[in-house]
Amino acid sequence: MPDPNTLPAPAGDASVPSYAARLNPPQREAVLATEGPVLMLAGAGTGKTAALTARLAHLVATGRAWPSQILCVTFTNRAAREMRERVAGHLGDMAEGMQWLGTFHSICAKMLRRHAELVGLQQNYTIIDTDDQLRLLKQLITENDLDEKRWPARQLAGLIDRWKNRGLNPEDLDAAENESYANGRGQQFYRLYQERLKALNACDFGDLMLHMLNIFRRHREVLEDYQRRFKYILVDEYQDTNAVQYLWLRLLAQAHKNICVVGDDDQSIYSWRGAEVANILKFEKDFPGAKVVKLEQNYRSTPHILGAASGLIRANSERHEKTLWTEVNHGEKVRVIGVWDGPEEARRVGEEIERLEREGARLDQVAILVRAQYQTREFEDRFIQIGLGYRIVGGFRFYERAEIRDALAYLRVIAQPQDDLAFERIYNQPKRGLGAKTLEKMHLHARRTGMPLAAASLQLADSDELPARAAATIGALLRQFLHWREQAEQVTPADLLRMVLDETGYSEMLQKERTAEAAGRLENLSELARAMEEYETLGDFLEHVSLVMDNDAADDGEKVTIMTMHAAKGLEFDHVFLPGWEEGVFPSQRALDEGGLASLEEERRLAYVAITRARRRCTILHAANRRIYGQWTSSIPSRFIEELPAEHIDQHTTLTGGASLWRANWTESEDPFAHVSRDRPERSSHRGPGWQRALSTGYETKQVRVRENTRSAASFAAKPRSDIVIGARVFHEKFGYGTVTDQEGNKLEIEFEHSGTKRVIDSFVSLAD
């Protein structure tokens, strides 16, 4: 067995363990510092996983601990799987004993199975998913006479998740937290939710850690047992820990204090999901005497890329000082390109990628990293036009996102009322109280009459086949479609979309959720409206979308990667394009409004992460103009561009007329774009066939009449049955036997023996025997 205090130095020596063969001096130092607390500050691309797995292998290979005595926690199953595979490569079968290597939540789930009774659960408890959580919260909201439309279940779920990430139980909420839901009922609903979960012998994802933290705090003997069990603790991506994870780790590490955390405060970018950069910044205070090892040799990027990223991140005040360096002595400077507008930005990136491809670059080594999901739309549209393959990672393609598909479904029904699939998607979205039984009746009547679903629904709404509330709701929805069809003749497609989103309550639904996810969905819908500004008619736009959606369904071949900066963390590409570096886009205005200086520093860390994804080339782009809500507005370059060291960047501009984009040369009064606000050009009033003309196919109708109760389907009248006449005795599955007393087209007025007089459609009755 090798000396436990040394690692042979010469690489290539047969006596050097495999896990130590390629370590550089700082990595070796981190591996050898086995006793006491260790903070391994690992900059981007510095080989932290190699050092962490080498340390883990070293603890076992030198006999310091059995595999079962090491707790090693990560954030993702992918990271845990990679670490396990690497350790197995070093230790062979011994790695099988590492039963405590996994994610925070998987480890806590294993612990909780052993101690479930201490928090009122049984060992066979169920972990509910997000859908079940929302369903349960909606039940509680309804039971307690709260308006779910005003206080959405999704908003409450987000608050509860935040409280659990902070290690807060219902009794721990202060007055401000309590007021954050339903005017001071946050604590009440949190307590009711936890009680209902226990009654169901269930817990949600956040409970896994919170329950174990509570057990450690309230049952000292359980905590001491795990403290004795784990002789060493290793933590990956420590900068991403939230409060409950931090508190859980601190308790476990108090006995031996043999805790080694690996992370980089400069890459802490997940505060929106509870991560606290302060955890890594105060590690030395939490564990006095901690050894700090800095990994600064980068194995990924060129000197100019590292210089630009390092110079930018130095503007942050709260950080550990690190200087990334590389043995590579060549490479291009980071290019900063100014363009006129968003469409030109997409064209320029497409041209650059085509040039790289001609020079032999692989498309799967090219990435476009955006700050927000909505930015992907212009690149997708452009790449479709030029036939450039792409894939969206970490999310759906723009036109495949749920909120976009909902909006498109409304537009499709306006343009083509016979589009049953579109109507079925949105007849109850946002929620209108129309359930599965209503939809089943609508489909049944549509099949019987051969009518489109929308037309059949309106005809049903003018009868007694449906409950009065459902009939009124459907009638109101179809009247809205009539209104939108008329408006489509007079307004632009983009204004029509905004009208639909407003009048249906779809935008209001997302606004009330008050979550980052809902805010992102609203941004996507705004981008959809901007996309529609480019089209004269609704039909033209929908045709374009159909072509985009049909883009290479097969996932074979090399493709450009498009993803958000957040999703790109941990990845690397030869060529990286970073569009949209303008104030308000990046840094995000929404983030700055919500978090102030702390959010600005996190946005800067996100910029650092984005730049360091590049191995060979990094290109930053910004536009002088962006189209927002149908109007052109001026943009100024991101403050992050000014913070890039001049010696590491190469500036370009494609502006015409000699206009300068560089904010460093501007004052507010000199800004050449300060007052740019060009109205939309005049558009043709032609909007294609009207609602009536579209419906006339097969139904020979010119208008839809609205009766006093505003529910009329006469315009959709199907051919009446010849076998049913006034005085005929008929049978209806719901109302029973009756006699026809009046007839208008295919509508019958029937005096039923037990149900009174009802208006029904002839296809729903049969002649009585």
Side-chain angles (χ1 to χ4, degrees):
M1 178 177 293
D3 185 338
N5 295 312
T6 63
L7 286 176
D13 190 326
S15 64
V16 178
S18 61
Y19 59 81
R22 296 184 178 180
L23 299 183
N24 61 37
Q27 290 172 325
R28 291 163 57 80
E29 181 182 2
V31 170
L32 287 173
T34 56
E35 306 309 307
V38 176
L39 171 59
M40 194 189 308
L41 288 172
T46 57
K48 71 174 181 68
T49 304
L52 186 59
T53 53
R55 179 183 173 90
L56 202 160
H58 183 63
L59 293 174
V60 176
T62 57
R64 283 183 166 81
W66 292 104
S68 60
Q69 294 176 314
I70 301 174
L71 172 65
C72 183
V73 289
T74 69
F75 274 88
T76 66
N77 289 316
R78 181 179 63 83
R81 185 168 55 251
E82 179 184 0
M83 195 173 300
R84 187 179 297 277
E85 290 172 354
R86 289 200 189 192
V87 174
H90 299 321
L91 300 179
D93 293 341
M94 289 190 70
E96 296 296 323
M98 291 188 169
Q99 57 182 298
W100 299 103
L101 190 163
T103 65
F104 280 97
H105 291 92
S106 67
I107 289 171
C108 281
K110 185 183 297 186
M111 291 179 172
L112 189 57
R113 294 288 178 194
R114 300 181 176 189
H115 309 287
E117 72 283 355
L118 297 180
V119 289
L121 298 173
Q122 302 173 34
Q123 287 187 345
N124 63 341
Y125 66 82
T126 300
I127 303 173
I128 65 172
D129 59 20
T130 301
D131 288 342
D132 288 336
Q133 181 188 29
L134 291 175
R135 190 177 302 113
L136 178 55
L137 290 173
K138 287 178 182 178
Q139 291 174 5
L140 292 175
I141 290 170
T142 301
E143 291 169 8
N144 288 272
D145 300 320
L146 199 64
D147 183 2
E148 205 268 335
K149 291 184 178 179
R150 183 178 180 187
W151 300 101
R154 194 174 295 276
Q155 178 193 355
L156 180 57
L159 288 169
I160 290 174
D161 183 60
R162 188 181 74 188
W163 293 330
K164 291 182 178 181
N165 285 340
R166 292 167 57 193
L168 299 176
N169 296 289
E171 61 272 18
D172 300 323
L173 300 188
D174 59 23
E177 295 291 352
N178 188 37
E179 287 290 334
S180 60
Y181 184 77
N183 298 322
R185 300 178 69 182
Q187 186 180 63
Q188 173 196 358
F189 276 94
Y190 186 9
R191 181 179 290 110
L192 288 172
Y193 174 64
Q194 293 300 97
E195 290 172 354
R196 184 65 60 87
L197 283 176
K198 287 184 181 180
L200 296 171
N201 191 34
C203 63
D204 63 24
F205 205 56
D207 280 326
L208 296 175
M209 293 219 65
L210 183 61
H211 282 330
M212 284 311 305
L213 179 62
N214 288 334
I215 289 171
F216 284 170
R217 284 171 163 173
R218 299 167 186 171
H219 301 274
R220 188 71 188 179
E221 71 284 0
V222 177
L223 173 61
E224 291 174 349
D225 177 61
Y226 283 105
Q227 286 176 335
R228 287 190 297 268
R229 179 190 303 268
F230 301 134
K231 296 180 66 175
Y232 293 92
I233 299 175
L234 286 76
V235 188
D236 191 18
E237 303 286 8
Y238 190 66
Q239 79 280 350
D240 293 334
T241 54
N242 59 32
V244 70
Q245 292 162 343
Y246 164 79
L247 295 169
W248 180 79
L249 285 168
R250 276 194 62 186
L251 287 173
L252 284 172
Q254 286 306 306
H256 294 293
K257 293 186 170 57
N258 290 332
I259 179 172
C260 173
V261 302
V262 184
D264 181 8
D265 49 296
D266 290 338
Q267 297 187 73
S268 179
I269 58 174
Y270 297 121
S271 66
W272 47 275
R273 66 186 190 196
E276 297 188 9
V277 67
N279 293 346
I280 192 170
L281 293 174
K282 65 182 180 180
F283 182 82
E284 294 166 87
K285 181 183 291 186
D286 291 334
F287 297 94
K291 185 177 183 61
V292 179
V293 180
K294 296 182 180 180
L295 306 186
E296 298 172 300
Q297 182 177 357
N298 181 278
Y299 296 95
R300 176 187 301 158
S301 306
T302 66
H304 285 304
I305 291 172
L306 297 180
S310 296
L312 172 65
I313 200 61
R314 286 194 188 100
N316 274 5
S317 58
E318 296 293 327
R319 61 181 294 266
H320 290 285
E321 182 60 37
K322 294 177 293 297
T323 302
L324 298 183
W325 62 277
T326 176
E327 292 181 344
V328 176
N329 58 11
H330 61 274
E332 299 179 7
K333 290 183 177 182
V334 173
R335 291 188 304 164
V336 179
I337 301 176
V339 296
W340 178 252
D341 57 15
E344 183 181 346
E345 181 181 61
R347 287 195 299 271
R348 179 65 183 266
V349 171
E351 291 168 0
E352 291 284 331
I353 293 174
E354 289 182 313
R355 179 182 62 80
L356 289 172
E357 188 177 24
R358 288 194 299 270
E359 294 174 356
R362 293 170 53 92
L363 289 184
D364 57 7
Q365 284 302 315
V366 178
I368 300 171
L369 308 183
V370 297
R371 173 61 182 88
Q373 292 273 8
Y374 71 83
Q375 290 177 260
T376 69
R377 198 272 308 169
E378 283 186 336
F379 294 99
E380 294 185 61
D381 285 356
R382 179 60 183 168
F383 292 174
I384 291 294
Q385 293 174 13
I386 64 177
L388 187 64
Y390 70 89
R391 62 190 182 115
I392 303 293
V393 175
F396 296 103
R397 293 189 298 177
F398 182 81
Y399 293 107
E400 292 176 346
R401 292 172 183 133
E403 63 276 10
I404 301 300
R405 294 184 76 105
D406 288 344
L408 291 175
Y410 274 104
L411 297 175
R412 284 165 53 189
V413 176
I414 292 172
Q416 176 49 272
Q418 296 174 335
D419 192 332
D420 288 0
L421 293 177
F423 184 74
E424 183 176 347
R425 181 180 181 91
I426 49 80
Y427 83 100
N428 195 38
Q429 181 68 345
K431 300 299 182 185
R432 300 184 173 90
L434 301 175
K437 289 185 178 179
T438 300
L439 179 62
E440 183 180 353
K441 287 201 172 206
M442 288 157 52
H443 273 300
L444 178 61
H445 186 50
R447 288 195 298 270
R448 284 174 172 174
T449 61
M451 301 170 70
L453 194 59
S457 302
L458 188 57
Q459 197 175 72
L460 273 181
D462 196 42
S463 73
D464 293 317
E465 300 289 349
L466 297 176
R469 181 176 177 181
T473 300
I474 291 174
L477 176 62
L478 269 295
R479 288 196 308 278
Q480 281 187 307
F481 274 109
L482 290 173
H483 166 66
W484 296 327
R485 164 60 57 177
E486 294 170 355
Q487 290 298 310
E489 301 279 351
Q490 306 171 31
V491 302
T492 67
D495 285 339
L496 178 65
L497 171 64
R498 296 184 186 109
M499 186 184 303
V500 169
L501 295 175
D502 179 54
E503 294 179 359
T504 59
Y506 198 100
S507 294
E508 182 183 14
M509 172 188 72
L510 295 177
Q511 290 164 356
K512 286 182 176 179
E513 285 186 18
R514 304 175 194 171
T515 63
E517 179 186 7
R521 295 175 69 188
L522 284 167
E523 287 179 345
N524 289 339
L525 290 170
S526 295
E527 178 60 24
L528 179 63
R530 288 196 284 273
M532 296 179 69
E533 290 292 339
E534 303 172 15
Y535 295 86
E536 292 292 329
T537 70
L538 179 58
D540 290 343
F541 174 72
L542 292 176
E543 181 178 326
H544 164 75
V545 172
S546 298
L547 295 175
V548 172
M549 296 287 282
D550 193 46
N551 175 41
D552 54 10
D555 195 29
D556 53 350
E558 296 177 15
K559 297 180 181 180
V560 175
T561 297
I562 305 177
M563 64 198 310
T564 64
M565 296 174 181
H566 283 100
K569 187 172 179 292
L571 303 177
E572 56 187 59
F573 303 89
D574 284 344
H575 313 280
V576 170
F577 293 87
L578 306 175
W581 280 44
E582 300 129 32
E583 287 295 305
V585 178
F586 188 49
S588 161
Q589 190 61 50
R590 178 162 54 89
L592 298 185
D593 291 343
E594 294 175 357
L597 180 59
S599 288
L600 174 60
E601 295 216 339
E602 179 155 327
E603 291 286 289
R604 190 176 284 111
R605 293 194 292 269
L606 186 58
Y608 171 85
V609 167
I611 293 172
T612 54
R613 298 311 94 195
R615 283 193 288 252
R616 296 176 56 191
R617 291 188 182 92
C618 179
T619 302
I620 296 170
L621 299 102
H622 60 103
N625 304 279
R626 290 280 177 191
R627 194 173 230 177
I628 301 176
Y629 300 116
Q631 290 189 336
W632 287 103
T633 58
S634 62
S635 301
I636 58 176
S638 168
R639 67 191 74 190
F640 298 153
I641 291 177
E642 286 186 0
E643 296 168 358
L644 297 170
E647 64 270 24
H648 295 298
I649 65 172
D650 186 8
Q651 297 182 356
H652 300 263
T653 178
T654 60
L655 287 176
T656 59
S660 170
L661 275 183
W662 310 115
R663 196 175 65 163
N665 297 329
W666 290 352
T667 65
E668 185 174 354
S669 60
E670 293 170 342
D671 180 358
F673 306 112
H675 305 291
V676 174
S677 181
R678 294 183 290 173
D679 293 333
R680 294 185 297 271
E682 292 297 321
R683 293 183 178 273
S684 166
S685 61
H686 174 67
R687 290 291 179 269
W691 172 276
Q692 294 86 352
R693 286 192 294 277
L695 282 180
S696 66
T697 304
Y699 303 104
E700 299 301 323
T701 180
K702 294 184 178 180
Q703 62 180 0
V704 174
R705 295 186 293 105
V706 181
R707 297 172 38 153
E708 182 179 353
N709 66 357
T710 69
R711 296 184 291 130
S712 175
S715 56
F716 301 114
K719 185 177 180 180
R721 289 172 56 176
S722 59
D723 59 336
I724 295 181
V725 296
I726 295 176
R729 182 171 170 78
V730 295
F731 176 77
H732 188 282
E733 289 185 357
K734 179 179 180 181
F735 303 126
Y737 289 97
T739 301
V740 177
T741 59
D742 196 6
Q743 184 177 24
E744 179 185 350
N746 68 333
K747 293 190 188 62
L748 307 175
E749 186 173 285
I750 302 174
E751 180 70 30
F752 289 99
E753 295 176 356
H754 302 291
S755 304
T757 301
K758 301 289 183 181
R759 286 173 55 83
V760 301
I761 298 168
D762 59 13
S763 62
F764 281 84
V765 300
S766 58
L767 287 170
D769 296 333

